[in-house]
Amino acid sequence: MTLQTDRYGQTVSTDDPQAAAAYFEAVDEFLALDDSAVDGFDRAVTLDPGLAVAHLGLGLSLASAGRDAEAREAFTAAVRLRRERPDRLTAREARQIDLVTAPPAHLAAFAEHLDRHPGDLLVLGFAAGLLSTRRIAAGTGRDGVLGLAARSSAAFPDDWALAGICSLEFEEAWQFAAAETAAELSLRDRPDNRAACHGYVHVLHETGRIATAESFLAGWFDTRHPRSPLQTHLRWHHTLVALENDDADLGLHRYHAALDPRVSNRRTTLVDSAAVLWRLRIDGRQDLPWSPVAELARTQVGAARTGLFDVHAALALALADRAALDTLRAAWRAETARPNRDVVLAVLDGVAAHGEGRYDEAAQHIGGVLSAVSLVGGSRLQQDIVVDTLCDALARSGDPARAADILEDRKRRRRSRRDERWIAALRAQSTAADR
């Protein structure tokens, strides 16, 4: 067999140049978070059914699109080919399949693989996802991705796909200038790279450049193809911009247009929609459309999910289905292996108490794990919903001064117009209570 070689110098086990070309293009589409990757990997599988890594890529792209049953079939095919035709795989391809289909609990195995194969960005991107959702051991934060990427960055310093992966990781590691540089490099060479777009938007949020975020996202949605697993989540960012600008009506308009489960079926829909409605609730908005979000939570909450997912499911269930929320809390109490179990359970208990108006209890539950909120998973912007819930509970239970102090501390990290308005209101509440 004459092996084909990708742009990172890695051989791929097919002698069909058309299958290889389809596979290479699909990898790039997947790294750019483009749904077209599904079609590309499917085309590669059709041209060469024995190309195991194409089945693996198909599984990854289907899972990213929320098509879990089809993804499992594709992963099963990859594992079967890896077992039945080991002669058709390089050592790198075999290990790639193992790491994705049976991921280890710690980073060492990923680091070892990437040291040997720094161009294997599918593995790097997959490991980044595990870190962001806290599916591997506690104590390995988002900055762990940058450690994994170090060898790749040395080998391919100007690669658009690698820069796109690293842009968000730099931002989450507080390296805002590096994050912005990486995003700009990536978008220069691949203007439709949603990973780089995402990292750039996070930098704009964290550095308080809300007007720039509004302009950039408006232009992005006007010119970029909507087929992406990240599309709904980018709309979430756009909605947060409206809330930063104290425009709840615009925020609700953007919610109904793109985040409402009745119009969006993306993997991030539950997290994105619940987070917006809960923020609006805290801001005093009434009569919010919780029913579709709660229904989505009920249909998905039994699946194997992450802390971030279940915390956001709890937000909806706390207001619409207490029995389902109790079931979710019981499931986390029964957990024995998840490293973030205690933190997630405390947040779930706090959300449940908040939903029932037991604000003292909510503050006690969440306040006790505030320093470990990163273990919920996701980005800092996503974790902020936990902090918001704590501050609202404190204010409602008679301690607005502490709530304001917590928000002041967050303000040192991120300039937020919404937080500034909230802090002013809490200080006024505290002053009035002292009279």
Side-chain angles (χ1 to χ4, degrees):
M1 176 181 291
T2 303
L3 302 182
Q4 304 294 309
T5 305
D6 68 11
R7 61 192 174 90
Y8 301 103
Q10 300 174 139
T11 53
V12 178
S13 297
T14 181
D15 55 7
D16 185 333
Q18 289 185 312
Y23 174 77
F24 296 152
E25 182 178 357
V27 169
D28 280 352
E29 289 167 343
F30 178 76
L31 294 173
L33 301 180
D34 188 331
D35 278 350
S36 299
V38 172
D39 301 329
F41 285 124
D42 189 58
R43 186 162 56 253
V45 165
T46 300
L47 290 166
D48 185 352
L51 182 54
V53 290
H55 289 276
L56 184 74
L58 181 59
L60 284 168
S61 57
L62 287 166
S64 184
R67 297 162 61 178
D68 293 340
E70 296 169 87
R72 285 192 291 271
E73 292 179 4
F75 288 138
T76 298
V79 171
R80 176 179 54 78
L81 288 167
R82 188 248 190 276
R83 181 181 66 252
E84 295 178 354
R85 294 292 308 276
D87 57 304
R88 271 215 56 178
L89 292 116
T90 65
R92 180 192 67 83
E93 291 172 309
R95 188 58 174 150
Q96 183 188 75
I97 292 170
D98 293 343
L99 288 170
V100 171
T101 59
H106 298 275
L107 283 180
F110 293 103
E112 179 184 1
H113 180 79
L114 289 165
D115 280 344
R116 294 179 179 176
H117 310 288
D120 200 342
L121 297 194
L122 280 182
V123 167
L124 177 61
F126 180 74
L130 293 179
L131 279 164
S132 71
T133 56
R134 294 284 172 181
R135 282 179 172 156
I136 60 175
T140 50
R142 294 290 294 262
D143 55 350
V145 179
L146 297 176
L148 289 178
R151 179 71 179 273
S152 303
S153 298
F156 309 101
D158 297 320
D159 182 72
W160 66 263
L162 179 60
I165 291 172
C166 289
S167 60
L168 182 62
E169 306 310 326
F170 278 127
E171 180 274 322
E172 289 295 297
W174 308 94
Q175 299 180 45
F176 298 145
E180 190 163 355
T181 297
E184 289 173 345
L185 183 156
S186 184
L187 291 169
R188 180 195 68 203
D189 293 344
R190 178 93 184 203
D192 66 342
N193 184 6
R194 286 82 171 174
C197 168
H198 189 209
Y200 182 56
V201 169
H202 268 268
V203 171
L204 296 178
H205 275 294
E206 292 282 5
T207 55
R209 288 178 283 168
I210 297 304
T212 303
E214 171 66 35
S215 175
F216 175 78
L217 284 169
W220 179 272
F221 295 131
D222 284 344
T223 59
R224 301 299 170 204
H225 197 284
R227 288 191 65 195
S228 170
L230 205 60
Q231 188 71 7
T232 295
H233 188 62
L234 291 176
R235 295 284 185 179
W236 174 77
H237 280 281
H238 204 204
T239 305
L240 290 194
V241 168
L243 301 189
E244 281 289 306
N245 288 329
D246 200 20
D247 195 339
D249 289 338
L250 178 59
L252 271 173
H253 172 76
R254 288 176 175 172
Y255 171 87
H256 286 299
L259 305 180
D260 191 319
R262 290 170 292 191
V263 300
S264 174
N265 62 354
R266 290 292 183 179
R267 182 172 292 280
T268 66
T269 297
L270 176 59
V271 171
D272 295 331
S273 59
V276 166
L277 293 187
W278 194 263
R279 279 177 171 84
L280 286 166
R281 176 175 179 262
I282 286 175
D283 289 347
R285 195 79 179 202
Q286 304 296 319
D287 300 323
L288 294 168
W290 281 106
S291 294
V293 187
E295 180 58 32
L296 181 60
R298 278 191 291 268
T299 61
Q300 296 186 3
V301 81
R305 292 291 181 177
T306 67
L308 184 73
F309 180 94
D310 284 347
V311 163
H312 285 78
L315 299 178
L317 297 176
L319 300 177
D321 193 336
R322 181 54 191 259
L325 177 53
D326 287 345
T327 298
L328 177 61
R329 294 162 66 199
W332 275 90
R333 284 194 198 94
E335 282 289 344
T336 58
R338 296 204 197 194
N340 58 351
R341 178 258 189 194
D342 291 344
V343 173
V344 173
L345 182 56
V347 175
L348 294 180
D349 289 343
V351 168
H354 192 289
E356 292 192 337
R358 295 180 282 112
Y359 301 116
D360 281 335
E361 291 182 38
Q364 290 171 9
H365 285 301
I366 300 175
V369 297
L370 180 61
S371 63
V373 70
S374 65
L375 291 177
V376 167
S379 68
R380 284 192 300 274
L381 277 174
Q382 289 175 312
Q383 294 156 13
D384 278 349
I385 200 68
V386 178
V387 181
D388 286 4
T389 304
L390 171 60
C391 291
D392 188 61
L394 288 168
R396 291 174 183 267
S397 61
D399 197 354
R402 186 184 170 207
D405 289 344
I406 291 170
L407 291 173
E408 288 279 10
D409 186 65
R410 184 165 75 182
K411 186 179 175 183
R412 296 186 186 96
R413 182 257 292 179
R414 173 169 55 85
R415 296 189 297 275
S416 166
R417 298 173 185 175
R418 179 174 176 267
D419 280 1
E420 289 172 359
R421 295 189 300 271
W422 197 358
I423 290 168
L426 289 167
R427 294 297 186 204
Q429 181 183 343
S430 180
T431 299
D434 290 339
R435 289 175 183 167

